[in-house]
Amino acid sequence: MLDLMQDEVFRAFSTYALVVILKTMIMAPLTAFYRFKRGSFANEEDVAFKSAEERKKLLRPNPDVERVRRCHLNDLENVVPFVLVGLFYALSGPQLSTALLHFRIFAGCRIFHTISYIGAFPQPCRALSFFAGVGATVSMAYHVLSKVFVL
């Protein structure tokens, strides 16, 4: 592992992978924050000490809470493939400048996607950031496949 950390591409990948993983991890406490702020809970046990009437009110979905949850789900659907594909990509010996471009595009797109999703920016802000991030991951996957498959 120590030898890998000497490789500039692998260090860059590790940095950007950790950035997007930590951003994804922040979404769970953010969801909880919105649940408490909006008074919208998902489970009976979360409101067990409230009266029956209060429980009914607190167990209703809230659009803001659902927006944060969907953003978190979208992160999980995109960050996991990025980390896996990015690992193979980093180990495939790409040029540092090209690797940095892929990693930066993906990380920047995910951060902007979260801001535009939670901030309810008008489309196509969110869609463009989503597709650019997916494009970076697909481009890395193509690079890896082109190195391992000889047709």
Side-chain angles (χ1 to χ4, degrees):
M1 181 72 160
L2 188 59
D3 289 342
L4 270 180
M5 292 312 281
Q6 302 305 317
D7 181 63
E8 289 182 327
V9 172
F10 190 79
R11 284 195 350 239
F13 165 69
S14 299
T15 300
Y16 287 99
L18 285 171
V19 165
V20 295
I21 289 168
L22 289 172
K23 191 214 82 54
T24 301
M25 290 172 64
I26 288 170
M27 298 305 293
L30 187 61
T31 302
F33 170 78
Y34 271 83
R35 284 197 182 287
F36 281 98
K37 186 176 179 184
R38 302 291 192 254
S40 175
F41 298 91
N43 303 300
E44 286 279 342
E45 63 271 14
D46 297 339
V47 293
F49 298 109
K50 303 289 184 179
S51 70
E53 187 174 311
E54 283 180 305
R55 280 196 301 263
K56 277 185 191 177
K57 221 164 60 171
L58 293 173
L59 288 172
R60 292 186 186 143
N62 178 277
D64 294 334
V65 173
E66 292 307 309
R67 177 174 289 278
V68 176
R69 281 181 12 85
R70 287 189 308 269
C71 184
H72 189 192
L73 179 61
N74 192 278
D75 269 350
L76 294 171
E77 294 167 347
N78 286 274
V79 170
V80 172
F82 167 78
V83 170
L84 293 172
V85 170
L87 176 61
F88 292 126
Y89 177 74
L91 296 174
S92 72
Q95 296 256 344
L96 177 61
S97 60
T98 307
L100 282 170
L101 183 65
H102 283 95
F103 303 154
R104 288 174 178 166
I105 286 173
F106 183 83
C109 285
R110 290 316 305 169
I111 291 167
F112 184 73
H113 181 271
T114 298
I115 292 167
S116 64
Y117 208 141
I118 294 174
F121 290 11
Q123 286 289 20
C125 291
R126 193 174 78 239
L128 289 174
S129 61
F130 168 79
F131 285 116
V134 168
T137 303
V138 168
S139 175
M140 290 187 301
Y142 176 79
H143 173 85
V144 172
L145 288 173
S146 69
K147 284 211 168 198
V148 297
F149 280 122
V150 180
L151 301 176

